[in-house]
Amino acid sequence: MQPLMCHNHNCPRTCHADNCDPCDNDTFYTTHCPCGKTKLDKLSDNSRQSCLDAVPTCRKVCRKQLSCGSEEYGNHICKAICHTGSCPPCSDRSLVSCCCQSSSESMLCSDIPEGGLKCEMVCFKKKSCGRHRCNTKCCLEDNHICMIPCGKKLSCKTHKCEELCHRGHCMPCLLSNFREVVCTCGQTKLDPPVSCGTPPPNCNEPCRRQHTCEH
């Protein structure tokens, strides 16, 4: 990581062509307290000499916008006194819809699961194969692609279909057989390579197989 101009911190961004941003606590750019309501020169007589020096805080309410709340009433605001770092967990409540939007629940904002609220409703929609059903609780899928391997025997009767479970017939076996395929009497043959599952060729020759009765 590239050091910043302050030489105390590194740039947090991924590789980029433009110049790095100034340090978040740079003494030149940081002119107000963390909540942004009071100038630093009104809070302390001692000017900060380095980005490592603590940023003075005021006694006003932070009021930064939080990620919780509702579309109807807007986002909640931080009720803590001016502070550094991230805002503490919200103490208000929100009406939270589950991921599939089938139900909602009033809960403390601090208790909202990170991955969203999950309900117990099971999805019974058929998957893309038309055979299997979703059976997932609080489902978010639209297309319901079946991820189960097909596994049906192919037309060659030797290999199985390796595609994901699908509608309709399986594709023909794409493997090749590198042994010659001969008719029952052995006089007519197909030279390799031949497609897997190729049946013995038709033969117009007189059969010359020996019988147990010596005829």
Side-chain angles (χ1 to χ4, degrees):
M1 291 189 293
Q2 185 74 19
L4 299 178
M5 291 295 293
C6 65
H7 300 295
N8 294 317
H9 301 98
N10 294 324
C11 180
R13 296 168 58 188
T14 55
C15 184
H16 55 93
D18 57 332
N19 294 330
C20 297
D21 297 327
C23 175
D24 289 340
N25 290 330
D26 187 280
T27 55
F28 179 78
Y29 293 101
T30 306
T31 59
H32 287 70
C33 66
C35 77
K37 297 181 179 64
T38 309
K39 287 188 174 182
L40 294 185
D41 56 13
K42 294 184 178 180
L43 294 173
S44 174
D45 295 332
N46 299 321
S47 59
R48 299 171 65 245
Q49 302 299 318
S50 164
C51 63
L52 298 177
D53 295 337
V55 179
T57 57
C58 69
R59 298 303 301 167
K60 297 176 182 177
V61 177
C62 174
R63 296 189 65 82
K64 288 180 181 176
Q65 194 174 80
L66 303 176
S67 59
C68 52
S70 65
E71 294 183 2
E72 183 178 359
Y73 299 106
N75 288 47
H76 294 156
I77 60 171
C78 177
K79 297 178 181 179
I81 300 300
C82 180
H83 59 87
T84 57
S86 301
C87 294
C90 180
S91 58
D92 288 334
R93 302 183 73 88
S94 288
L95 185 64
V96 183
S97 297
C98 68
C99 294
C100 70
Q101 304 295 313
S102 64
S103 63
S104 58
E105 180 181 341
S106 177
M107 59 194 312
L108 286 172
C109 297
S110 56
D111 292 339
I112 298 175
E114 187 174 342
L117 185 65
K118 301 285 187 180
C119 72
E120 294 297 313
M121 182 174 290
V122 178
C123 175
F124 291 108
K125 289 182 180 179
K126 280 192 174 182
K127 294 188 176 183
S128 55
C129 63
R131 297 174 57 203
H132 302 108
R133 294 187 183 273
C134 179
N135 293 325
T136 302
K137 290 182 179 180
C138 201
C139 177
L140 292 173
E141 295 293 329
D142 290 326
N143 297 326
H144 288 84
I145 303 297
C146 186
M147 301 302 293
I148 301 173
C150 175
K152 290 180 182 178
K153 279 283 185 74
L154 298 177
S155 56
C156 65
K157 308 299 182 184
T158 301
H159 302 105
K160 292 182 179 181
C161 179
E162 297 181 355
E163 300 291 329
L164 293 177
C165 192
H166 56 85
R167 295 177 183 269
H169 297 292
C170 299
M171 295 286 290
C173 183
L174 300 178
L175 299 177
S176 295
N177 186 358
F178 289 91
R179 294 180 180 180
E180 62 182 21
V181 179
V182 297
C183 67
T184 306
C185 71
Q187 296 185 79
T188 303
K189 64 180 181 180
L190 298 175
D191 293 325
V194 294
S195 299
C196 183
T198 299
N202 294 324
C203 179
N204 296 319
E205 299 292 332
C207 181
R208 297 178 181 176
R209 287 187 298 171
Q210 293 289 329
H211 294 264
T212 55
C213 62
E214 297 184 355
H215 292 117

